[in-house]
Amino acid sequence: MVDLKGMSRKKKAEYIWEYYRIHIIGTIAILFIIGSIIHSQVTKIDYVFNLTVIGNIVDESKISNLEKQLTKVVVKEGDGRKQAVVTSIPLEGSSSENTQMSSQYMQKFIAQLSVGELDVVILDKTMLENFAKQDMFVKLDGISQLNLNSLKNEKVEASGSDNKKAVYAINVEDIKMFKEMGIDTRNKVIGIISTSKQKDNATVVLKWMLNVK
């Protein structure tokens, strides 16, 4: 039996380190891991709204500025952990008539759609027509809060899976913020994803972007 009481402080420290260092190191490592997990949860950003641009954005530095503006629209003031996010999906092809998503990006896009990660999407008009047939977009003329009659922008119709024409998107050619990001807005439209979990916020964002009262 070791008499720790009779040892000097230095001897006690040497003895404890010699026989219990594995336990000490293990305990420190566990505490560090727990602290890291708690810190990551406390500081974790909760992305509560997604705007996706299917097309090439020339000025990537403008994305963070748009994210800040969108966050002010969809997040209550003072809730710093919640944020809107803007993502882009690049297109392949040499002309606007021959652009398409690569199979890799298409798979990611469909996966995000299926779990409701996407809220508002800007895309080529011809893509909208194909996606509308699969009921991927919300019929905008069915949203009471969105007064389409007050819109100056072109209202874009397409046929859904029921083969009935409806307004599924709005032309974004004249929207300044998108032009400033270097997006080629020709033949581009904006719409709300049908699987979105933030349809109310998506409507608010659409009204804000289109300057609808």
PDB file of all heavy atoms in Angstrom, residues 65-87:
ATOM      1  N   ASN A  65     -23.844  38.604 -50.030  1.00  0.00           N
ATOM      2  CA  ASN A  65     -24.663  39.799 -49.855  1.00  0.00           C
ATOM      3  C   ASN A  65     -26.145  39.463 -50.018  1.00  0.00           C
ATOM      4  O   ASN A  65     -26.994  39.922 -49.237  1.00  0.00           O
ATOM      5  CB  ASN A  65     -24.256  40.870 -50.870  1.00  0.00           C
ATOM      6  CG  ASN A  65     -25.026  42.163 -50.687  1.00  0.00           C
ATOM      7  OD1 ASN A  65     -25.163  42.665 -49.579  1.00  0.00           O
ATOM      8  ND2 ASN A  65     -25.541  42.700 -51.791  1.00  0.00           N
ATOM      9  N   LEU A  66     -26.475  38.636 -51.016  1.00  0.00           N
ATOM     10  CA  LEU A  66     -27.861  38.225 -51.226  1.00  0.00           C
ATOM     11  C   LEU A  66     -28.349  37.362 -50.066  1.00  0.00           C
ATOM     12  O   LEU A  66     -29.506  37.469 -49.639  1.00  0.00           O
ATOM     13  CB  LEU A  66     -27.999  37.470 -52.546  1.00  0.00           C
ATOM     14  CG  LEU A  66     -29.409  36.971 -52.905  1.00  0.00           C
ATOM     15  CD1 LEU A  66     -30.408  38.122 -52.901  1.00  0.00           C
ATOM     16  CD2 LEU A  66     -29.404  36.280 -54.269  1.00  0.00           C
ATOM     17  N   GLU A  67     -27.464  36.512 -49.533  1.00  0.00           N
ATOM     18  CA  GLU A  67     -27.829  35.681 -48.381  1.00  0.00           C
ATOM     19  C   GLU A  67     -28.211  36.551 -47.183  1.00  0.00           C
ATOM     20  O   GLU A  67     -29.176  36.250 -46.467  1.00  0.00           O
ATOM     21  CB  GLU A  67     -26.675  34.747 -48.014  1.00  0.00           C
ATOM     22  CG  GLU A  67     -26.508  33.582 -48.979  1.00  0.00           C
ATOM     23  CD  GLU A  67     -25.330  32.700 -48.630  1.00  0.00           C
ATOM     24  OE1 GLU A  67     -24.421  33.178 -47.917  1.00  0.00           O
ATOM     25  OE2 GLU A  67     -25.293  31.542 -49.078  1.00  0.00           O
ATOM     26  N   LYS A  68     -27.459  37.620 -46.962  1.00  0.00           N
ATOM     27  CA  LYS A  68     -27.753  38.530 -45.853  1.00  0.00           C
ATOM     28  C   LYS A  68     -29.115  39.201 -46.046  1.00  0.00           C
ATOM     29  O   LYS A  68     -29.888  39.347 -45.098  1.00  0.00           O
ATOM     30  CB  LYS A  68     -26.653  39.591 -45.738  1.00  0.00           C
ATOM     31  CG  LYS A  68     -25.322  39.046 -45.253  1.00  0.00           C
ATOM     32  CD  LYS A  68     -24.249  40.129 -45.246  1.00  0.00           C
ATOM     33  CE  LYS A  68     -22.907  39.568 -44.825  1.00  0.00           C
ATOM     34  NZ  LYS A  68     -21.830  40.592 -44.881  1.00  0.00           N
ATOM     35  N   GLN A  69     -29.390  39.608 -47.288  1.00  0.00           N
ATOM     36  CA  GLN A  69     -30.673  40.252 -47.573  1.00  0.00           C
ATOM     37  C   GLN A  69     -31.831  39.276 -47.379  1.00  0.00           C
ATOM     38  O   GLN A  69     -32.863  39.627 -46.793  1.00  0.00           O
ATOM     39  CB  GLN A  69     -30.682  40.779 -49.009  1.00  0.00           C
ATOM     40  CG  GLN A  69     -29.708  41.925 -49.252  1.00  0.00           C
ATOM     41  CD  GLN A  69     -29.797  42.445 -50.672  1.00  0.00           C
ATOM     42  OE1 GLN A  69     -30.829  42.967 -51.092  1.00  0.00           O
ATOM     43  NE2 GLN A  69     -28.732  42.297 -51.429  1.00  0.00           N
ATOM     44  N   LEU A  70     -31.668  38.058 -47.876  1.00  0.00           N
ATOM     45  CA  LEU A  70     -32.712  37.042 -47.737  1.00  0.00           C
ATOM     46  C   LEU A  70     -32.944  36.687 -46.269  1.00  0.00           C
ATOM     47  O   LEU A  70     -34.088  36.469 -45.848  1.00  0.00           O
ATOM     48  CB  LEU A  70     -32.333  35.783 -48.515  1.00  0.00           C
ATOM     49  CG  LEU A  70     -32.498  35.825 -50.031  1.00  0.00           C
ATOM     50  CD1 LEU A  70     -31.954  34.546 -50.657  1.00  0.00           C
ATOM     51  CD2 LEU A  70     -33.958  36.013 -50.408  1.00  0.00           C
ATOM     52  N   THR A  71     -31.855  36.615 -45.509  1.00  0.00           N
ATOM     53  CA  THR A  71     -31.961  36.295 -44.081  1.00  0.00           C
ATOM     54  C   THR A  71     -32.818  37.328 -43.363  1.00  0.00           C
ATOM     55  O   THR A  71     -33.641  36.989 -42.508  1.00  0.00           O
ATOM     56  CB  THR A  71     -30.563  36.214 -43.440  1.00  0.00           C
ATOM     57  OG1 THR A  71     -29.810  35.160 -44.075  1.00  0.00           O
ATOM     58  CG2 THR A  71     -30.660  35.913 -41.952  1.00  0.00           C
ATOM     59  N   LYS A  72     -32.653  38.601 -43.720  1.00  0.00           N
ATOM     60  CA  LYS A  72     -33.458  39.660 -43.108  1.00  0.00           C
ATOM     61  C   LYS A  72     -34.937  39.504 -43.452  1.00  0.00           C
ATOM     62  O   LYS A  72     -35.805  39.894 -42.679  1.00  0.00           O
ATOM     63  CB  LYS A  72     -32.961  41.036 -43.572  1.00  0.00           C
ATOM     64  CG  LYS A  72     -31.593  41.419 -43.016  1.00  0.00           C
ATOM     65  CD  LYS A  72     -31.173  42.790 -43.526  1.00  0.00           C
ATOM     66  CE  LYS A  72     -29.802  43.170 -42.972  1.00  0.00           C
ATOM     67  NZ  LYS A  72     -29.356  44.502 -43.489  1.00  0.00           N
ATOM     68  N   VAL A  73     -35.209  38.918 -44.609  1.00  0.00           N
ATOM     69  CA  VAL A  73     -36.590  38.748 -45.054  1.00  0.00           C
ATOM     70  C   VAL A  73     -37.270  37.570 -44.348  1.00  0.00           C
ATOM     71  O   VAL A  73     -38.438  37.657 -43.964  1.00  0.00           O
ATOM     72  CB  VAL A  73     -36.650  38.541 -46.584  1.00  0.00           C
ATOM     73  CG1 VAL A  73     -38.072  38.224 -47.047  1.00  0.00           C
ATOM     74  CG2 VAL A  73     -36.138  39.777 -47.310  1.00  0.00           C
ATOM     75  N   VAL A  74     -36.536  36.459 -44.150  1.00  0.00           N
ATOM     76  CA  VAL A  74     -37.169  35.229 -43.648  1.00  0.00           C
ATOM     77  C   VAL A  74     -36.894  34.906 -42.180  1.00  0.00           C
ATOM     78  O   VAL A  74     -37.525  34.019 -41.613  1.00  0.00           O
ATOM     79  CB  VAL A  74     -36.742  34.007 -44.506  1.00  0.00           C
ATOM     80  CG1 VAL A  74     -37.147  34.195 -45.947  1.00  0.00           C
ATOM     81  CG2 VAL A  74     -35.234  33.748 -44.407  1.00  0.00           C
ATOM     82  N   VAL A  75     -35.938  35.629 -41.559  1.00  0.00           N
ATOM     83  CA  VAL A  75     -35.574  35.339 -40.170  1.00  0.00           C
ATOM     84  C   VAL A  75     -35.901  36.532 -39.280  1.00  0.00           C
ATOM     85  O   VAL A  75     -35.617  37.676 -39.636  1.00  0.00           O
ATOM     86  CB  VAL A  75     -34.066  35.003 -40.049  1.00  0.00           C
ATOM     87  CG1 VAL A  75     -33.681  34.761 -38.593  1.00  0.00           C
ATOM     88  CG2 VAL A  75     -33.725  33.778 -40.895  1.00  0.00           C
ATOM     89  N   LYS A  76     -36.494  36.239 -38.135  1.00  0.00           N
ATOM     90  CA  LYS A  76     -36.816  37.298 -37.186  1.00  0.00           C
ATOM     91  C   LYS A  76     -35.537  37.936 -36.653  1.00  0.00           C
ATOM     92  O   LYS A  76     -34.549  37.255 -36.411  1.00  0.00           O
ATOM     93  CB  LYS A  76     -37.631  36.742 -36.018  1.00  0.00           C
ATOM     94  CG  LYS A  76     -39.033  36.293 -36.410  1.00  0.00           C
ATOM     95  CD  LYS A  76     -39.793  35.783 -35.205  1.00  0.00           C
ATOM     96  CE  LYS A  76     -41.201  35.333 -35.597  1.00  0.00           C
ATOM     97  NZ  LYS A  76     -41.951  34.804 -34.429  1.00  0.00           N
ATOM     98  N   GLU A  77     -35.583  39.231 -36.450  1.00  0.00           N
ATOM     99  CA  GLU A  77     -34.410  39.972 -35.955  1.00  0.00           C
ATOM    100  C   GLU A  77     -33.967  39.448 -34.599  1.00  0.00           C
ATOM    101  O   GLU A  77     -34.792  39.203 -33.713  1.00  0.00           O
ATOM    102  CB  GLU A  77     -34.744  41.451 -35.854  1.00  0.00           C
ATOM    103  CG  GLU A  77     -33.536  42.330 -35.571  1.00  0.00           C
ATOM    104  CD  GLU A  77     -33.877  43.806 -35.599  1.00  0.00           C
ATOM    105  OE1 GLU A  77     -34.999  44.149 -36.003  1.00  0.00           O
ATOM    106  OE2 GLU A  77     -33.004  44.610 -35.217  1.00  0.00           O
ATOM    107  N   GLY A  78     -32.659  39.222 -34.460  1.00  0.00           N
ATOM    108  CA  GLY A  78     -32.112  38.747 -33.196  1.00  0.00           C
ATOM    109  C   GLY A  78     -31.825  37.266 -33.169  1.00  0.00           C
ATOM    110  O   GLY A  78     -31.131  36.779 -32.273  1.00  0.00           O
ATOM    111  N   ASP A  79     -32.344  36.533 -34.146  1.00  0.00           N
ATOM    112  CA  ASP A  79     -32.091  35.091 -34.198  1.00  0.00           C
ATOM    113  C   ASP A  79     -30.882  34.843 -35.097  1.00  0.00           C
ATOM    114  O   ASP A  79     -31.009  34.490 -36.270  1.00  0.00           O
ATOM    115  CB  ASP A  79     -33.319  34.354 -34.735  1.00  0.00           C
ATOM    116  CG  ASP A  79     -33.295  32.866 -34.380  1.00  0.00           C
ATOM    117  OD1 ASP A  79     -32.198  32.367 -34.058  1.00  0.00           O
ATOM    118  OD2 ASP A  79     -34.343  32.223 -34.427  1.00  0.00           O
ATOM    119  N   GLY A  80     -29.692  35.024 -34.520  1.00  0.00           N
ATOM    120  CA  GLY A  80     -28.454  34.974 -35.286  1.00  0.00           C
ATOM    121  C   GLY A  80     -28.042  33.598 -35.764  1.00  0.00           C
ATOM    122  O   GLY A  80     -27.167  33.471 -36.620  1.00  0.00           O
ATOM    123  N   ARG A  81     -28.641  32.543 -35.209  1.00  0.00           N
ATOM    124  CA  ARG A  81     -28.243  31.192 -35.607  1.00  0.00           C
ATOM    125  C   ARG A  81     -28.971  30.719 -36.863  1.00  0.00           C
ATOM    126  O   ARG A  81     -28.610  29.699 -37.431  1.00  0.00           O
ATOM    127  CB  ARG A  81     -28.492  30.216 -34.461  1.00  0.00           C
ATOM    128  CG  ARG A  81     -27.560  30.387 -33.270  1.00  0.00           C
ATOM    129  CD  ARG A  81     -27.885  29.399 -32.182  1.00  0.00           C
ATOM    130  NE  ARG A  81     -27.804  28.028 -32.660  1.00  0.00           N
ATOM    131  CZ  ARG A  81     -28.268  26.971 -32.001  1.00  0.00           C
ATOM    132  NH1 ARG A  81     -28.872  27.147 -30.842  1.00  0.00           N
ATOM    133  NH2 ARG A  81     -28.146  25.759 -32.494  1.00  0.00           N
ATOM    134  N   LYS A  82     -30.014  31.438 -37.258  1.00  0.00           N
ATOM    135  CA  LYS A  82     -30.761  31.051 -38.455  1.00  0.00           C
ATOM    136  C   LYS A  82     -30.328  31.906 -39.635  1.00  0.00           C
ATOM    137  O   LYS A  82     -30.042  33.091 -39.488  1.00  0.00           O
ATOM    138  CB  LYS A  82     -32.263  31.195 -38.209  1.00  0.00           C
ATOM    139  CG  LYS A  82     -32.807  30.202 -37.198  1.00  0.00           C
ATOM    140  CD  LYS A  82     -34.303  30.315 -37.045  1.00  0.00           C
ATOM    141  CE  LYS A  82     -34.832  29.271 -36.055  1.00  0.00           C
ATOM    142  NZ  LYS A  82     -36.310  29.357 -35.892  1.00  0.00           N
ATOM    143  N   GLN A  83     -30.288  31.278 -40.807  1.00  0.00           N
ATOM    144  CA  GLN A  83     -29.761  31.982 -41.968  1.00  0.00           C
ATOM    145  C   GLN A  83     -30.350  31.423 -43.257  1.00  0.00           C
ATOM    146  O   GLN A  83     -30.680  30.246 -43.343  1.00  0.00           O
ATOM    147  CB  GLN A  83     -28.235  31.843 -41.992  1.00  0.00           C
ATOM    148  CG  GLN A  83     -27.542  32.610 -43.103  1.00  0.00           C
ATOM    149  CD  GLN A  83     -26.035  32.453 -43.032  1.00  0.00           C
ATOM    150  OE1 GLN A  83     -25.445  32.514 -41.961  1.00  0.00           O
ATOM    151  NE2 GLN A  83     -25.402  32.231 -44.170  1.00  0.00           N
ATOM    152  N   ALA A  84     -30.483  32.292 -44.248  1.00  0.00           N
ATOM    153  CA  ALA A  84     -30.859  31.858 -45.596  1.00  0.00           C
ATOM    154  C   ALA A  84     -29.586  31.541 -46.368  1.00  0.00           C
ATOM    155  O   ALA A  84     -28.531  32.125 -46.107  1.00  0.00           O
ATOM    156  CB  ALA A  84     -31.648  32.954 -46.298  1.00  0.00           C
ATOM    157  N   VAL A  85     -29.686  30.615 -47.301  1.00  0.00           N
ATOM    158  CA  VAL A  85     -28.510  30.230 -48.077  1.00  0.00           C
ATOM    159  C   VAL A  85     -28.832  30.279 -49.567  1.00  0.00           C
ATOM    160  O   VAL A  85     -29.959  29.964 -49.981  1.00  0.00           O
ATOM    161  CB  VAL A  85     -28.018  28.812 -47.674  1.00  0.00           C
ATOM    162  CG1 VAL A  85     -29.070  27.758 -47.972  1.00  0.00           C
ATOM    163  CG2 VAL A  85     -26.702  28.474 -48.363  1.00  0.00           C
ATOM    164  N   VAL A  86     -27.859  30.719 -50.340  1.00  0.00           N
ATOM    165  CA  VAL A  86     -27.991  30.760 -51.799  1.00  0.00           C
ATOM    166  C   VAL A  86     -26.991  29.779 -52.393  1.00  0.00           C
ATOM    167  O   VAL A  86     -25.797  29.842 -52.093  1.00  0.00           O
ATOM    168  CB  VAL A  86     -27.719  32.172 -52.362  1.00  0.00           C
ATOM    169  CG1 VAL A  86     -27.798  32.173 -53.889  1.00  0.00           C
ATOM    170  CG2 VAL A  86     -28.709  33.175 -51.782  1.00  0.00           C
ATOM    171  N   THR A  87     -27.481  28.850 -53.203  1.00  0.00           N
ATOM    172  CA  THR A  87     -26.595  27.880 -53.845  1.00  0.00           C
ATOM    173  C   THR A  87     -26.769  27.964 -55.353  1.00  0.00           C
ATOM    174  O   THR A  87     -27.791  28.452 -55.854  1.00  0.00           O
ATOM    175  CB  THR A  87     -26.905  26.441 -53.382  1.00  0.00           C
ATOM    176  OG1 THR A  87     -28.284  26.133 -53.681  1.00  0.00           O
ATOM    177  CG2 THR A  87     -26.684  26.282 -51.892  1.00  0.00           C
TER     178      THR A  87
END
